[in-house]
Amino acid sequence: MLDNAGIPCFVKNEFAIGGIGDLAPFDCLPEVWLADEEWEPKAKRLLKELLEQNHGEEDWFCPFCKEKNAASFEICWNCGKEST
Ligand SMILES: [Zn+2]
């Protein structure tokens, strides 16, 4: 996402996931590093916008089986039909 916005950054630990052994899993999670800290306010604003976007979506009810589905689901978790 930051790449799309033209913010220079890189992901650290992206390939460390295969190296989990003695390391705590937390240490192996990918981290995003900005190339320059002057980008931080813009990056944070973008992240906030992204979070708010996701939060703004509402749960929906499947018209076929009436099950409640989270907004992030494009198909019903219960019967597999698409939302309308
Ligand atoms: Zn359904």
Side-chain angles (χ1 to χ4, degrees):
M1 185 193 71
L2 293 176
D3 270 343
N4 290 341
I7 297 178
C9 64
F10 56 93
V11 178
K12 199 183 142 192
N13 289 344
E14 190 174 15
F15 302 109
I17 215 77
I20 296 179
D22 295 334
L23 294 170
F26 184 78
D27 289 336
C28 294
L29 292 176
E31 296 174 11
V32 176
W33 288 69
L34 300 174
D36 194 314
E37 66 181 23
E38 74 183 62
W39 290 96
E40 189 180 341
K42 192 178 178 190
K44 279 189 173 165
R45 196 169 66 238
L46 279 166
L47 286 172
K48 191 163 171 281
E49 281 173 12
L50 187 76
L51 290 173
E52 282 172 357
Q53 266 175 27
N54 290 342
H55 191 69
E57 291 180 35
E58 293 189 15
D59 295 345
W60 55 279
F61 289 88
C62 177
F64 298 96
C65 68
K66 312 297 182 200
E67 272 302 332
K68 187 179 179 186
N69 288 274
S72 57
F73 291 1
E74 287 179 10
I75 59 171
C76 174
W77 67 268
N78 186 47
C79 68
K81 298 272 201 313
E82 284 185 40
S83 64
T84 51

